[in-house]
Amino acid sequence: MDGRNLIGFAYIDTDTAAFKATDPATGKELDGNFFPASQELVDQAMQLAVAAHARFKHIGKDQKAAFLRAIAEGIEAIAPALTERASTESGLPLARLQGELGRTTGQLRLFANVVEEGSWVEAVIDTADASRQPLPKPDIRKMLVPIGPVVVFGASNFPLAFSVAGGDTASALAAGCPVVVKAHPAHPGTSALVAEAIHMAAIAHDIPEGVFSILYDDSYTVGEALVKHPHTKAVTFTGSYNGGMALEKIARQRGVPIPVFAEMGSINPVILLPGVLNSRAAELANQYAASITLGAGQFCTNPGLLLAVRSPALDVLEENLKAAITAIPSATMLTPGIYQNYTGKVKQMLDNQGVSVIASSELKREGAENQALATVARVTAQQLINDPHLAEEVFGPYSLLVVADDEQQLAQLIGTLPGQLTVTFMANADELTHFRPLIDQAAELAGRIILNSVPTGVEVCAAMQHGGPFPATSDSRFTSVGTSAIRRFVRPLAWQGWDNANLPDELKDDNPLQIWRTLDQQWTKDQYGK
């Protein structure tokens, strides 16, 4: 497999020492040599991207939409080879990756539709009024415009949907921004296959060279150089808190700071209200055992905390949760490093005084490596209030059942939690009014508040908010999933006094998607006394 860096339309040879991908289930190296990019190649990719931006930002919406759809078609054309390689590089089952491939191509087509429809630019017109007193009103028109080259870091836990052609790349290209991808070192072969599909789509649809590049590295050198590069206008990252904050620090230290849209993890608390426990304790236990262990727990929306008030029904849930977790087989984690971090963090949590194990999976496959055994532990709400470190994310199939003495202590506990991607309430309909203050309190923590479902599942749609208050993400105003993800890569620009012929098409008088805003007579009278 060719692991050369792709810069624009050219595959570039390097004299750096190659690295290989590893199958996390067997520990064996996989075919293919991948060559870390040099500082010179980083600069070459960024220079080409900024040159491409001058053309790409003016490309018509139909051409851009066709480009995005062609990427989806190119990925689907190599689906069997792509999912097979992704499985061997990640340890994820083929069925999961086939679904992820569908999500990847689906969101590319979704952004093609967004581009084609056109209203996402939020074109606004304020028409002139030469007769206004005491001063004439000028003609001012505004819309969102692309900011320039975006650096995308591939994520470890979604080798397709949050990687080379994932949501970050799709939304940046839809916005009109060139993309330079830093491939994740855990799945470079998967990255190379997808990069070639983008490469071919760009050539087929006359997209400027430099709109897409991909660089490889098995350390932090290339990523740091990309964030520091003066042509980089924004960065996207999905990963650990430490990784996200390291990129934030680099970005802030630049001569011109840039935004880093970092998703840095979340414990996604689930609040089990008394009524639903009384009626559905056993069912909830099975539902959440499956959610905790889905994909070896390697979802940013994994339910890491289960919160409830002490009751006999909670004891029923605990017993059923124990039985369900014990019966779930182990699963290979994405990388040896992630596996070692998981086992270390679980041991660290269980070493805390007052933390007891409810259940741990007992079914481990013989001969396989990096297999995580699911673990659910228990602690009192007061212990968690006293030691917030117990609420830190453990990336993997781990969750902590937290038992409060009463509703007041449950509210106190929620008040100590940091920002989250999700907060979930499991409740009967008649409980929602009584617990409204608690629901409002929890909503302050989250980007998405869920009722009677599990958080492990992020729908790609216009209404999705996949982000949350710090430290879940670096900026809670934005989402990395759904059509609003495009807003990360644009800025508003106003045109004042321009004639119709020289305005962007979106701001011309005959564009039906404009939001017309003119000052009404009452406003004018109030402001100017006329």
Side-chain angles (χ1 to χ4, degrees):
M1 177 172 286
D2 190 348
R4 293 179 296 166
N5 297 279
L6 174 61
I7 300 176
F9 294 157
Y11 284 99
I12 308 295
D13 291 313
T14 67
D15 56 5
T16 53
F19 68 95
K20 288 181 174 289
T22 301
D23 184 338
T26 64
K28 295 180 180 179
E29 287 188 338
L30 300 171
D31 292 339
N33 293 315
F34 300 89
F35 298 90
S38 63
Q39 177 63 56
E40 290 74 20
L41 291 186
V42 169
D43 186 61
Q44 186 176 338
M46 295 310 304
Q47 295 285 357
L48 203 57
V50 78
H53 178 59
R55 283 187 55 204
F56 191 52
K57 65 184 179 182
H58 294 301
I59 279 181
K61 61 182 183 179
D62 292 343
Q63 183 181 357
K64 197 188 304 178
F67 172 43
L68 292 170
R69 292 192 180 103
I71 297 172
E73 292 165 4
I75 291 171
E76 288 170 342
I78 58 169
L82 180 58
T83 52
E84 181 66 37
R85 179 71 186 200
S87 181
T88 58
E89 288 187 330
S90 67
L92 296 170
L94 278 174
R96 146 72 194 272
L97 289 163
Q98 288 161 354
E100 189 180 328
L101 186 144
R103 170 176 170 171
T104 304
T105 56
Q107 62 195 8
L108 283 161
R109 291 188 171 100
L110 176 64
F111 279 107
N113 294 341
V114 168
V115 168
E116 219 164 40
E117 188 271 340
S119 64
W120 72 271
V121 301
E122 297 180 8
V124 179
I125 289 181
D126 266 314
T127 54
D129 182 359
S131 65
R132 192 186 70 179
Q133 295 296 323
L135 295 173
K137 176 181 175 290
D139 184 289
I140 302 177
R141 308 181 182 212
K142 182 178 71 172
M143 61 180 278
L144 299 176
V145 297
I147 58 174
V150 173
V151 168
V152 171
F153 283 79
S156 63
N157 58 337
F158 281 86
L160 298 175
F162 277 85
S163 191
V164 177
D168 292 338
T169 295
S171 54
L173 291 175
C177 296
V179 170
V180 178
V181 171
K182 159 61 174 66
H184 197 283
H187 41 78
T190 305
S191 300
L193 290 169
V194 176
E196 176 62 9
I198 300 175
H199 176 205
M200 298 306 294
I203 292 174
H205 289 274
D206 194 27
I207 300 299
E209 183 178 15
V211 163
F212 173 81
S213 296
I214 185 170
L215 303 176
Y216 299 93
D217 194 12
D218 58 348
S219 70
Y220 303 109
T221 304
V222 168
E224 182 176 350
L226 286 168
V227 178
K228 286 182 175 179
H229 200 281
H231 290 329
T232 300
K233 298 301 182 183
V235 174
T236 71
F237 171 82
T238 299
S240 69
Y241 173 81
N242 289 336
M245 292 310 296
L247 296 180
E248 276 273 351
K249 183 178 180 181
I250 295 169
R252 286 196 304 266
Q253 291 174 341
R254 291 168 41 119
V256 179
I258 57 172
V260 175
F261 299 106
E263 182 203 300
M264 298 178 289
S266 176
I267 51 173
N268 308 295
V270 177
I271 301 161
L272 304 161
L273 295 183
V276 76
L277 277 175
N278 286 331
S279 60
R280 297 172 51 205
E283 176 190 341
L284 292 176
N286 291 326
Q287 186 177 6
Y288 271 91
S291 180
I292 291 164
T293 57
L294 181 67
Q298 297 167 121
F299 284 78
C300 49
T301 52
N302 199 57
L305 285 182
L306 306 177
L307 314 179
V309 174
R310 190 184 314 276
S311 71
L314 182 59
D315 295 337
V316 174
L317 177 132
E318 187 172 335
E319 285 302 310
N320 282 273
L321 191 59
K322 177 179 180 179
I325 289 292
T326 303
I328 292 176
S330 65
T332 298
M333 299 197 80
L334 293 158
T335 70
I338 289 173
Y339 168 74
Q340 290 162 10
N341 185 67
Y342 169 71
T343 55
K345 286 286 286 185
V346 170
K347 182 179 184 304
Q348 178 185 332
M349 291 297 181
L350 299 183
D351 283 345
N352 282 278
Q353 186 175 4
V355 178
S356 59
V357 177
I358 293 175
S360 183
S361 172
E362 299 173 354
L363 302 175
K364 192 169 185 178
R365 289 175 293 139
E366 186 176 349
E369 298 191 10
N370 305 308
Q371 291 186 72
L373 294 170
T375 300
V376 176
R378 172 177 173 148
V379 71
T380 68
Q382 192 59 54
Q383 288 169 321
L384 189 60
I385 291 168
N386 294 341
D387 185 3
H389 293 297
L390 292 173
E392 291 178 354
E393 182 186 23
V394 178
F395 188 70
Y398 170 87
S399 192
L400 186 65
L401 176 63
V402 186
V403 182
D405 292 332
D406 49 38
E407 293 177 19
Q408 290 72 30
Q409 191 178 51
L410 182 60
Q412 183 186 2
L413 171 61
I414 292 171
T416 68
L417 297 177
Q420 307 291 328
L421 293 172
T422 71
V423 172
T424 300
F425 279 88
M426 303 301 294
N428 289 333
D430 58 3
E431 295 182 284
L432 299 179
T433 300
H434 174 75
F435 284 96
R436 174 56 61 184
L438 192 69
I439 294 169
D440 289 343
Q441 178 190 9
E444 293 293 323
L445 302 176
R448 179 163 52 113
I449 188 162
I450 301 165
L451 179 63
N452 290 335
S453 185
V454 295
T456 39
V458 183
E459 182 70 22
V460 182
C461 64
M464 177 50 62
Q465 175 60 28
H466 191 59
F470 185 87
T473 58
S474 54
D475 194 330
S476 64
R477 298 171 297 173
F478 297 95
T479 178
S480 63
V481 178
T483 57
S484 294
I486 200 170
R487 294 175 181 270
R488 296 174 295 173
F489 311 119
V490 293
R491 65 180 181 88
L493 178 62
W495 283 257
Q496 180 171 333
W498 289 78
D499 60 277
N500 198 62
N502 289 302
L503 285 165
D505 288 344
E506 294 88 345
L507 295 179
K508 291 180 178 178
D509 292 337
D510 58 353
N511 186 344
L513 294 174
Q514 295 153 347
I515 304 169
W516 290 80
R517 295 177 181 170
T518 57
L519 299 178
D520 61 35
Q521 293 300 312
Q522 185 60 48
W523 193 94
T524 304
K525 181 178 179 181
D526 291 344
Q527 293 296 310
Y528 296 109
K530 298 291 183 181

